[in-house]
Amino acid sequence: MKYFFTLIILLSGTCIFAQTAPNFTVTTSDGDVRNLYNDYLNQGKVVVIEAFFTTCPPCNTHAPYWQALYQSQLIAHPNKVEFIMLSTLQSDNNTKVGIYRNNKGLTMPGVGNDGGGLAAILPYMNGQFGEFQGTPTFIVIDTDGQVT
């Protein structure tokens, strides 16, 4: 449990005051339709979003560690946490995201532009939740929908 809270502290954004996350519906690179509130938050899950793109050098470098963290959190907190990757590039479609996930051995959902990933991540990129520092950026949304 201490690692989970450490994760939340480390990945928390720069916002001093929590703000409510906007809802989104996306189609993952696996073809699954996911809604932030209905499929995750209303089910009592904390959501950790990675803003990434498939050719991002730091994203590529940390991918094995991101996967290991995802797996450890699923084991430590079954049905209480979900990670999702949302691409920040218009040119990253679900096919490219799927290839990236397969090449990197990533099992968390990933979403390209044609799956709604860019539209879903845009509020976090446009300054609504503080300054966007580039990729990778990690966004933690608690079960009440608060971006912390």
Side-chain angles (χ1 to χ4, degrees):
M1 189 64 144
K2 71 178 182 178
Y3 296 112
F4 183 67
F5 290 114
T6 301
L7 166 73
I8 289 176
I9 290 167
L10 290 175
L11 298 181
S12 292
T14 58
C15 299
I16 294 173
F17 301 103
Q19 298 179 48
T20 303
N23 197 13
F24 60 76
T25 300
V26 295
T27 303
T28 71
S29 61
D30 291 329
D32 297 326
V33 175
R34 300 291 179 184
N35 178 275
L36 177 63
Y37 281 83
N38 291 340
D39 294 317
Y40 301 121
L41 303 181
N42 293 347
Q43 305 301 318
K45 294 183 180 185
V46 171
V47 175
V48 182
I49 297 172
E50 178 188 16
F52 87 110
F53 59 93
T54 59
T55 56
C56 161
C59 303
N60 281 278
T61 300
H62 83 251
Y65 305 105
W66 181 237
Q67 176 63 28
L69 181 63
Y70 177 59
Q71 288 301 120
S72 71
Q73 294 309 301
L74 289 179
I75 292 167
H77 310 285
N79 298 312
K80 296 293 181 191
V81 64
E82 184 59 73
F83 288 23
I84 187 167
M85 302 180 326
L86 301 175
S87 177
T88 61
L89 291 185
Q90 188 171 15
S91 60
D92 272 353
N93 59 29
N94 272 351
T95 299
K96 284 185 181 179
V97 170
I99 292 168
Y100 173 83
R101 287 178 58 238
N102 286 337
N103 287 344
K104 299 296 180 186
L106 303 173
T107 59
M108 75 281 300
V111 184
N113 184 40
D114 57 343
L118 184 56
I121 200 68
L122 198 55
Y124 304 96
M125 294 174 61
N126 71 11
Q128 182 177 340
F129 293 89
E131 185 177 351
F132 183 72
Q133 299 292 322
T135 56
T137 291
F138 302 93
I139 301 135
V140 178
I141 306 171
D142 69 20
T143 57
D144 294 323
Q146 298 299 299
V147 178
T148 57

